[in-house]
Amino acid sequence: MEGSGSGGGAAPSSAPVKQYLQEFSKLFQYYLDKSTPHSAYRWIGTLVMASIYVLRIVYVQGFYVVSYGLGIYLLNLLIGFLSPLVDPELDPSNSPLLPTKGSDEFKPFIRRLPEFKFWYSFTKALCIAFVMTFFSPFDVPVFWPILLCYWFVLFVLTMRRQVAHMIKYKYIPFNLGKQKYTGKKSSAGSSGSRAD
């Protein structure tokens, strides 16, 4: 039953396309995995893409609603990037805190959205928004200064809340690399400037 009729003819024609998509997916995943440890180069590439997107918006003088939606999405990603995995307001026993006494244990900051996923979602959103600028139905006429002002107010209010949350629960969402033990420092050495 399944092999008879025109159903058998469709399978061979879709097989090369399916194989090509699988090979492309494997190749894409390979280069994505190779780029994982090179965060500076990844972010430089994303900044180049963002500048191309901005130039496209300035050149076309439109698609402000697409840019506003992109800005809201990126703000949401930023909040996920700056937020801890476990919210201290919901579970105070497992919150990421800096040690305040010598007997306190350091609880490392674990992000809700890791840096690589933040970068990947950021870049993917830029690519989708860039492609959307080539389709005229997304060019909705709107007075862009109102959107910019609204986004700025939303950004300030959100970041103010996020910074207040970081101060209240004493966590730092930025990590400057793996910390190394360099031995016990003398009191004279610790009072000087930090070179490392």
Side-chain angles (χ1 to χ4, degrees), residues 2 7 13 23 37 60 66-67 77 89 93 106 129 133 143 166 192:
E2 294 174 6
S13 66
E23 288 177 13
V60 175
V66 173
S67 298
L77 288 177
E89 290 177 346
S93 65
F106 177 72
T133 62
F143 189 59
M166 288 190 279

Side-chain angles (χ1 to χ4, degrees), residues 2-73:
E2 294 174 6
S4 64
S6 63
S13 66
S14 67
V17 173
K18 201 179 237 185
Q19 184 180 5
Y20 174 76
L21 288 175
Q22 284 179 344
E23 288 177 13
F24 177 76
S25 176
K26 285 180 185 178
L27 188 65
F28 177 73
Q29 189 64 44
Y30 172 76
Y31 284 113
L32 196 62
D33 291 341
K34 283 191 71 94
S35 72
T36 301
H38 308 292
S39 63
Y41 296 121
R42 284 190 280 120
W43 281 106
I44 289 171
T46 300
L47 288 176
V48 168
M49 289 175 56
S51 61
I52 291 170
Y53 175 77
V54 168
L55 288 174
R56 169 84 177 143
I57 295 299
V58 169
Y59 175 72
V60 175
Q61 294 183 355
F63 297 98
Y64 301 120
V65 172
V66 173
S67 298
Y68 177 72
L70 176 66
I72 294 294
Y73 180 71

Side-chain angles (χ1 to χ4, degrees), residues 96-107 167-171:
L97 295 174
L98 293 174
T100 54
K101 297 181 278 196
S103 62
D104 285 349
E105 179 185 347
F106 177 72
K107 296 180 182 178
I167 291 170
K168 180 179 178 183
Y169 293 102
K170 300 180 184 109
Y171 65 87

